[in-house]
Amino acid sequence: MTTNPVLGSLLENLDLIEIIFKETHDAFKNDRQNTGDSKEYTVQEFIECYLTNDFRIKKGSIYSKDSHSNNIDCVILAPNHPILTTPKRSIILAEGVFAAVEVKPDIANKIEFNRGLEQVKSIKALNRKTFIPDLSRLTKTAPTPDFKKKIPSIIFSAKSSSPDETYKFLYAKLESKELTIYDLPDIIVTLDNGLFVYSPMISTTLFGNYFLKNSPGTIENTLLHFETNKSETLALFIWHLLTLPSPVLMNSESLLIEYLSELKGIKIKGYRMEKTAS
């Protein structure tokens, strides 16, 4: 039993998520709109619990200067995003998006998983300017790579295939050239099979350096899988979410990080996403 109030809050929120994501009663299986909406709202409300009041979450297409994404379930707006409404719509600008979450309750269903990946691809296709000063010359480090300026994208699911099957499905998408490594989700949340985290530069992720240090021979383009129970999965998701690259300078590190960092003993596995050159 935990006395950590943040981890305790995750357990209480998990109770509601599990109720909402339960199998729909036969009487309401034709009412897909309300069923889907309830799951999206639940994920939105869950995420909002761990953000400060200057963030907002909306549903809709994300617009850049020359394009737009598909309709996305939960778009987290950074504090600098203007209200930007018209009599007909609320407009979401790519430059003011902190992260985007697509809710797909069952990605064991490959059709549903593929739809989620297509949603993410439409987000990753957007070009945007970020408002973080490039200090690489002063710090003598490499400039921020272009992929880090893209919108962090997440798939949230209750059901999934085994970690190995999930990896194989993603790898097949890369081999068939349906997706590139820059189209993949940054995070895949699965309540039944733990958390997946991907980056073309895995060392830039929350546990990347630790994983590379403790897994000799592992290099970049690695899909990390965290073997966690449901509450640990939610905790790791929030931890990763709060440490995603922001399009703007943030005032300070979230005070939740110290509480979330009490998670211990989680197993991590890495999957290479590109073939090694022969």
Side-chain angles (χ1 to χ4, degrees):
M1 182 177 293
T2 181
T3 58
N4 182 318
V6 175
L7 298 183
S9 74
L10 288 160
L11 290 170
E12 290 195 345
N13 278 314
L14 175 60
D15 292 340
L16 175 61
I17 291 171
E18 289 194 298
I19 290 171
I20 298 298
F21 276 78
K22 278 176 63 176
E23 197 71 31
T24 305
H25 290 291
D26 289 342
F28 304 113
K29 284 193 173 178
N30 290 330
D31 187 10
R32 295 183 179 180
Q33 182 68 46
N34 282 319
T35 299
D37 287 349
S38 68
K39 292 173 181 176
E40 292 167 16
Y41 294 148
T42 299
V43 173
Q44 178 176 327
E45 290 172 352
F46 164 66
I47 294 171
E48 282 180 331
C49 291
Y50 300 93
L51 299 174
T52 52
N53 289 332
D54 46 0
F55 286 86
R56 289 170 288 142
I57 301 181
K58 291 186 177 182
K59 177 176 181 175
S61 296
I62 305 167
Y63 287 84
S64 65
K65 286 185 176 180
D66 56 4
S67 187
H68 63 85
S69 73
N70 297 338
N71 195 54
I72 306 302
D73 295 330
C74 303
V75 184
I76 305 171
L77 306 185
N80 71 320
H81 196 290
I83 300 298
L84 200 59
T85 57
T86 78
K88 293 184 178 180
R89 71 193 81 251
S90 178
I91 301 166
I92 301 171
L93 297 180
E95 283 74 14
V97 175
F98 178 73
V101 182
E102 185 67 17
V103 180
K104 293 296 177 194
D106 183 6
I107 60 170
N109 180 328
K110 296 301 184 282
I111 295 174
E112 190 165 335
F113 196 2
N114 192 59
R115 286 175 182 157
L117 293 172
E118 287 299 317
Q119 294 290 86
V120 169
K121 184 178 180 179
S122 79
I123 300 167
K124 294 294 187 180
L126 298 175
N127 293 313
R128 66 172 182 168
K129 180 181 178 181
T130 55
F131 299 90
I132 301 292
D134 186 353
L135 303 177
S136 56
R137 290 185 181 179
L138 295 176
T139 57
K140 296 182 180 180
T141 56
T144 302
D146 286 342
F147 77 85
K148 296 287 282 185
K149 299 175 184 178
K150 298 289 187 177
I151 296 171
S153 304
I154 298 153
I155 293 177
F156 191 105
S157 184
K159 295 181 181 179
S160 63
S161 301
S162 71
D164 285 352
E165 287 300 316
T166 297
Y167 158 68
K168 289 175 184 177
F169 185 75
L170 293 171
Y171 194 87
K173 293 291 180 183
L174 297 177
E175 283 207 308
S176 66
K177 302 192 184 312
E178 293 176 64
L179 299 175
T180 73
I181 60 172
Y182 302 108
D183 297 323
L184 293 175
D186 299 85
I187 299 171
I188 301 175
V189 183
T190 72
L191 294 183
D192 58 351
N193 279 305
L195 191 79
F196 295 86
V197 175
Y198 176 73
S199 171
M201 292 177 62
I202 202 65
S203 57
T204 65
T205 62
L206 183 59
F207 293 102
N209 284 330
Y210 170 84
F211 184 80
L212 295 173
K213 178 181 177 181
N214 289 277
S215 299
T218 301
I219 58 175
E220 302 294 13
N221 294 320
T222 301
L223 177 72
L224 298 183
H225 172 247
F226 296 82
E227 187 179 319
T228 49
N229 61 38
K230 292 177 182 179
S231 62
E232 290 171 339
T233 298
L234 293 181
L236 274 178
F237 164 52
I238 293 299
W239 193 354
H240 277 281
L241 178 69
L242 295 175
T243 57
L244 287 173
S246 171
V248 294
L249 284 172
M250 306 300 284
N251 292 331
S252 62
E253 186 179 73
S254 171
L255 59 83
L256 296 180
I257 297 299
E258 184 176 346
Y259 287 83
L260 293 170
S261 62
E262 288 190 8
L263 290 170
K264 292 179 174 63
I266 292 170
K267 295 180 181 178
I268 311 174
K269 182 177 181 179
Y271 296 89
R272 284 296 311 282
M273 299 307 290
E274 286 190 322
K275 289 182 178 178
T276 305
S278 57

